[in-house]
Amino acid sequence: IEQNIAGSKAQDLLAHKANTLLEQLRKEKKIARLAEQNGLKLDETGLFVRGAGQLPKIGELQDSMTRGIPVSAQNPIADKVYKQKDAAYIIAFKSSEPADMTRFEQEKDTIKKQTLSEAQQRVVKKFIDGLKAKADIRMQNLGVGES
C-alpha cells in the first residue's frame, strides 16, 4: 500500500511540476532556457510523419497517437503535457519539412489502397459493433457433461 501511495504521490508531483513548466513556457517561449533553469534534459525527436504510431526517441505517448500532437509553426507549444509510464514530456515545435512530392507520386496508389482498406475495416467494425449492441444472447445449460 505504501508503495502504491508513494507512486501515486510521485505521479501527482510530476504532473503538477510539468504543468507548471508548461505554463511558464507559454509565457517565456524559450524552452532551452527553461530546461536549463530547471535541470531538465532537452532533446529533439527529429522529423517524423504526422500521425506516426510512435515518436522517435520517445515512443508512443498516451493520448497522442489518436489525435496527433497539435504543434506547428503557428502553434509551437503543445496544449498539454504528454505522459509515458513514469515520464512527462512538454513538446514544442522546432521545424518542418515539406512533403516529398516525387515520393508521394510513387506511393500514391499504395496510400489510396491503404486508406480504402482502413475505411472498410472501420465500416465493418462499426457494423459488427451495431449487431452486438442489438443482439440478445441467452446462455442455456443443457446438462451436457453433468453427472
Side-chain angles (χ1 to χ4, degrees):
I1 293 174
E2 286 179 9
Q3 288 178 340
N4 288 343
I5 291 172
S8 177
K9 292 286 185 189
Q11 288 294 320
D12 291 345
L13 287 171
L14 173 66
H16 177 71
K17 179 67 176 178
N19 284 315
T20 301
L21 290 170
L22 179 59
E23 290 304 316
Q24 193 176 348
L25 178 60
R26 285 185 181 139
K27 292 175 189 170
E28 295 180 16
K29 309 279 190 227
K30 296 185 178 168
I31 196 167
R33 191 170 79 191
L34 183 67
E36 184 181 328
Q37 288 173 345
N38 290 278
L40 300 171
K41 179 181 177 185
L42 179 63
D43 202 355
E44 296 179 19
T45 62
L47 295 172
F48 57 90
V49 178
R50 275 191 198 274
Q54 296 186 352
L55 299 179
K57 297 184 183 179
I58 294 176
E60 188 171 335
L61 297 171
Q62 295 173 3
D63 299 329
S64 68
M65 297 305 121
T66 55
R67 295 181 315 253
I69 299 172
V71 292
S72 64
Q74 296 78 27
N75 183 30
I77 301 169
D79 57 343
K80 68 177 194 168
V81 173
Y82 289 88
K83 296 179 185 174
Q84 179 195 58
K85 298 178 186 172
D86 294 336
Y89 296 91
I90 297 173
I91 298 183
F93 176 84
K94 182 177 180 185
S95 65
S96 64
E97 186 176 280
D100 180 349
M101 295 310 290
T102 305
R103 183 172 165 215
F104 172 73
E105 288 299 325
Q106 293 170 348
E107 296 180 12
K108 185 169 35 176
D109 289 336
T110 304
I111 293 169
K112 282 181 183 179
K113 289 176 185 175
Q114 183 179 5
T115 304
L116 179 61
S117 175
E118 289 170 0
Q120 289 171 336
Q121 289 174 4
R122 282 192 302 272
V123 168
V124 169
K125 183 180 181 336
K126 186 175 180 181
F127 175 72
I128 290 172
D129 290 346
L131 290 176
K132 286 180 181 178
K134 294 176 187 175
D136 182 21
I137 301 171
R138 296 179 188 173
M139 300 295 286
Q140 200 172 38
N141 186 355
L142 298 176
V144 177
E146 291 182 4
S147 48

